[in-house]
């Protein structure tokens, strides 16, 4: 058996320390290269997500500007049909002390005479004098009475007496009772009123015994709420419907003071006569369309810049060692060059914008009731080719658009905003629902949302999933079900991270 002989660097004349350092440098180069590749993917993901947010915000902001969505009290977005938009026609009231008015695109231009005979009213009850606060409840173990068929019961808790606040909470906690109660300790008065108006709004109170004593103590007798000879409370009253005549049509009733007839909405304030004048608000419609075009053109400019941005191949992401040798300003300038062109000629972005341009000129005359079949017929076109420009911006012929609005406002609204309907097929491929092309604005939205879905599959949602759902509730469906919420770039980033871990673990770097 031979013994293994180890030759040291000193004995062999070989500088092993230098060899190790060179090997370490070689491995460091491998690590740096992987880190640079990973950083490039992270920047690409960041650029995609930033553009996708721009797409989403463009849709949300312009929808809101048009009134195609409204925001609920909870902050959610609710759709609104273009047929209900109230800025197309301008309605004015000759007497705003009787009623204020507004109108939708359905309203016909003209003058309308209205007479308000009666306003819609609810029922209100209030204490006629001070009632003595919660002292009227002192010592009572329980009180019970009925309002609108709902039994209200308030029980004493432990040693604590029942208070007026307890009574108010008990009434207001009952669903569909149709009334709201309140008590103002400052003036020592109790209030009860219906939540609605009209003949269906009512207050019916029945009580006996201790409950009748309590209701009687509320001093609502000025409204007729008092004990009968039998010691019981048995009170009932109902509201009134509004009553108007509209352009010769008499005896029109409404349970509320907001009445809509033929696209004209009247908010009644008092009784009397007034005249409504309705006319197309050409300037308002033009300004909305112009604002949409301007914001769309900004989006086109951004995508064109990304698609044509110069790429600096010699500027790679900086390594940690390189950053140590540079100041902050130089790092920022370098990374600006390194990021430049990161989405140059990107097929998803290019395809999305091309699809929009083609859709704008899609001629589907059989899908519209109005006279317009081409975008140019309402004075909108794409800019002419210019050297150095990727094109795609829209431009407006102001005179032509205003003439179209004045001539047929409903036709313009339909051509801009008509909702699209997707084609549906059964499991055998048979068409069960014919597809329908949407209006010009709708086509822009539809194609942007298709592009957004592609970008999400490519780069994920980042922290903006809720933003995208606000644009389209099921926009993440395929991403979640088919891709398990992991994008292509996220997989690449994960692969690079694992590769880095492998190199570092193997070489002990």
């Amino acid at each position: 058996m031979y013994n293994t002989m180890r030759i040291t660097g000193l004995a062999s004349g070989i500088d092993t320390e230098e060899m190790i350092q060179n090997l370490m440098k070689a491995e460091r180069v491998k690590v740096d290269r992987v880190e640079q590749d990973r950083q490039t993917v992270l920047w690409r993901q960041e650029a995609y997500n930033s553009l996708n947010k721009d797409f989403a915000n463009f849709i949300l902001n312009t929808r809101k500007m048009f009134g195609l969505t409204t925001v609920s009290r909870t902050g959610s977005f609710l759709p609104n049909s273009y047929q209900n938009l109230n800025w197309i026609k301008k309605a004015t009231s000759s007497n705003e002390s009787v009623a204020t008015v507004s109108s939708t695109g359905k309203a016909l231009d003209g003058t309308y005479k209205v007479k308000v005979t009666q306003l819609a009213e609810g029922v209100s009850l209030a204490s006629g004098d001070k009632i003595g606060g919660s002292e009227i409840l002192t010592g009572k173990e329980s009180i019970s009475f009925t309002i609108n068929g709902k039994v209200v019961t308030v029980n004493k808790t432990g040693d604590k007496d029942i208070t007026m606040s307890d009574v108010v909470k008990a009434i207001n906690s009952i669903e569909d009772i149709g009334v709201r109660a309140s008590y103002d300790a400052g003036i020592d008065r109790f209030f009860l009123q219906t939540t609605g108006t009209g003949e269906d709004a009512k207050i019916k109170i029945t009580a006996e015994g201790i409950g009748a004593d309590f209701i009687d103590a509320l001093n609502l007798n000025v409204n007729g709420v008092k004990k009968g000879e039998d010691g019981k409370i048995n009170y009932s009253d109902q509201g009134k419907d509004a009553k108007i005549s509209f352009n010769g049509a008499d005896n029109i009733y409404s349970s509320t003071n907001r009445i809509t007839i033929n696209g004209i909405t009247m908010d009644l304030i008092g009784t009397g006569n007034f005249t409504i004048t309705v006319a197309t608000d050409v300037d308002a419609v033009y300004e909305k369309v112009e604002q949409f075009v301007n914001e769309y053109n900004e989006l086109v400019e951004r995508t064109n810049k990304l698609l044509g941005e110069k790429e600096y191949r010699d500027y790679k992401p900086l390594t940690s060692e390189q950053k140590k040798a540079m100041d902050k300003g130089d790092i920022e300038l370098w990374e600006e060059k390194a990021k430049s062109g990161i989405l140059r000629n990107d097929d998803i972005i290019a395809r999305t914008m091309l699809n929009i341009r083609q859709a704008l000129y899609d001629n589907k005359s059989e899908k519209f009731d109005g006279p317009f079949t081409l975008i140019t017929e309402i004075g909108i076109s794409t800019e002419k080719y210019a050297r150095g420009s990727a094109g795609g911006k829209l431009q407006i012929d102001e005179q032509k658009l205003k003439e179209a609005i004045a001539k047929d406002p409903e036709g313009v609204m339909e051509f801009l905003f008509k909702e699209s309907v997707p084609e549906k097929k059964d499991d055998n491929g048979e068409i069960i629902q014919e597809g329908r092309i949407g209006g010009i604005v709708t086509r822009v939205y539809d194609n942007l949302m298709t592009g957004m879905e592609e970008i999400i599959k490519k780069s994920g949602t980042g922290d903006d999933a809720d933003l995208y759902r606000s644009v389209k509730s099921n926009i993440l469906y395929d991403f979640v079900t088919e891709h398990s919420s992991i994008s292509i770039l996220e997989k690449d980033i994960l692969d690079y991270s694992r590769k880095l871990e492998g190199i570092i673990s193997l070489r002990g770097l």
Side-chain angles (χ1 to χ4, degrees), residues 4 103 139 293 338 349 459 484:
T4 302
S103 61
V293 167
I349 301 171
S459 68
S484 302

Side-chain angles (χ1 to χ4, degrees), residues 12-57:
S12 65
I14 299 174
D15 190 343
T16 55
E17 184 177 350
E18 182 180 354
M19 288 179 58
I20 292 170
Q21 287 178 350
N22 289 336
L23 286 171
M24 292 289 285
K25 286 180 181 178
E27 294 302 326
R28 184 71 248 178
V29 168
K30 291 180 182 179
V31 170
D32 288 344
R33 189 176 295 121
V34 175
E35 284 184 337
Q36 287 174 319
D37 290 342
R38 181 176 179 273
Q39 184 60 61
T40 299
V41 176
L42 284 168
W43 281 342
R44 184 170 290 114
Q45 182 185 38
E46 181 183 287
Y48 270 128
N49 290 346
S50 178
L51 179 63
N52 228 16
K53 283 176 66 176
D54 286 348
F55 284 170
N57 285 319

Side-chain angles (χ1 to χ4, degrees), residues 83-130:
Q83 295 175 322
N84 298 325
L85 301 178
N86 60 9
W87 45 265
I88 302 165
K89 298 293 182 81
K90 186 176 182 179
T92 56
S93 168
S94 65
N95 190 345
E96 292 195 344
S97 64
V98 177
T100 58
V101 296
S102 62
S103 61
T104 67
K106 295 179 183 178
L108 298 177
D109 291 1
T111 303
Y112 304 84
K113 294 182 178 179
V114 185
K115 181 179 181 180
V116 181
T117 306
Q118 179 175 285
L119 293 175
E121 298 177 357
V123 183
S124 297
L125 303 179
S127 303
D129 204 345
K130 293 184 177 182

Side-chain angles (χ1 to χ4, degrees), residues 276-317:
I276 302 172
T277 302
V278 178
T280 302
D281 195 339
V282 175
D283 288 337
V285 177
Y286 177 83
E287 287 169 6
K288 296 281 189 184
V289 175
E290 183 182 43
Q291 185 177 340
F292 172 83
V293 167
N294 289 340
E295 293 192 29
Y296 172 76
N297 285 344
E298 288 179 9
L299 198 65
V300 170
E301 191 171 334
R302 166 133 198 241
T303 58
N304 286 347
K305 181 181 177 182
L306 287 173
L307 292 171
E309 196 171 44
K310 185 176 179 179
E311 186 176 7
Y312 297 90
R313 296 183 182 277
D314 292 334
Y315 286 79
K316 302 293 184 183

Side-chain angles (χ1 to χ4, degrees), residues 240-257:
K240 297 177 181 179
D241 284 344
K243 181 181 177 182
I244 69 168
S245 62
F246 182 87
N247 239 30
D250 296 327
N251 300 322
I252 298 173
Y253 293 91
S254 170
S255 62
T256 72
N257 287 314

Side-chain angles (χ1 to χ4, degrees), residues 197-297:
T197 57
E199 291 186 352
D200 291 336
K202 64 182 180 179
I203 294 181
K204 183 176 182 180
I205 303 174
T206 58
E208 58 184 45
I210 295 174
D213 292 340
F214 168 70
I215 298 295
D216 194 56
L218 294 176
N219 198 23
L220 303 172
N221 56 352
V222 292
N223 305 105
V225 185
K226 56 184 178 180
K227 288 183 185 179
E229 292 182 359
D230 58 359
K232 297 179 180 180
I233 298 288
N234 194 357
Y235 168 84
S236 182
D237 195 8
Q238 67 183 115
K240 297 177 181 179
D241 284 344
K243 181 181 177 182
I244 69 168
S245 62
F246 182 87
N247 239 30
D250 296 327
N251 300 322
I252 298 173
Y253 293 91
S254 170
S255 62
T256 72
N257 287 314
R258 168 166 281 199
I259 304 174
T260 300
I261 300 175
N262 294 334
I264 301 172
T265 298
M266 297 160 279
D267 288 301
L268 308 182
I269 299 169
T271 57
N273 300 308
F274 68 101
T275 300
I276 302 172
T277 302
V278 178
T280 302
D281 195 339
V282 175
D283 288 337
V285 177
Y286 177 83
E287 287 169 6
K288 296 281 189 184
V289 175
E290 183 182 43
Q291 185 177 340
F292 172 83
V293 167
N294 289 340
E295 293 192 29
Y296 172 76
N297 285 344

Side-chain angles (χ1 to χ4, degrees), residues 428-439:
N428 297 320
E430 296 293 327
I431 297 175
I432 57 177
Q433 176 180 282
E434 292 287 342
R436 184 183 75 196
I437 188 172

